[in-house]
Amino acid sequence: MTFSQAYKLFGPDVETIAEETGIPPGRVDRLINEKLNKRYENRIRNERVRSELREIRARRPV
């Protein structure tokens, strides 16, 4: 089982993912943190894009 498959099944449960994949718990914890950070960065980036689009639309003549 891969890390991604285990994460989908078990969520951020470090110990269970480590047991199922054979990856050391410390590495699993880092992989989960990377995944969560990437999700956060994508959310922030999407919010910025939406904000910029709203500003562009507000300046556009009707």
Side-chain angles (χ1 to χ4, degrees):
M1 176 179 290
T2 66
F3 168 77
S4 294
Q5 292 169 332
Y7 186 80
K8 285 179 187 177
L9 285 174
F10 307 114
D13 185 349
V14 174
E15 295 300 321
T16 303
I17 292 174
E19 289 175 14
E20 294 294 322
T21 61
I23 301 171
R27 177 71 178 138
V28 170
D29 190 45
R30 285 190 296 274
L31 290 171
I32 290 171
N33 286 332
E34 288 173 14
K35 193 172 209 50
L36 294 175
N37 286 340
K38 195 173 290 187
R39 184 184 301 166
Y40 173 76
E41 289 169 2
N42 286 338
R43 191 178 84 224
I44 295 300
R45 186 178 315 116
N46 288 338
E47 288 175 9
R48 278 193 203 124
V49 169
R50 286 187 198 113
S51 175
E52 290 172 6
L53 287 174
R54 280 192 294 271
E55 289 179 24
I56 291 169
R57 289 181 186 130
R59 286 184 258 141
R60 187 173 49 179
V62 178

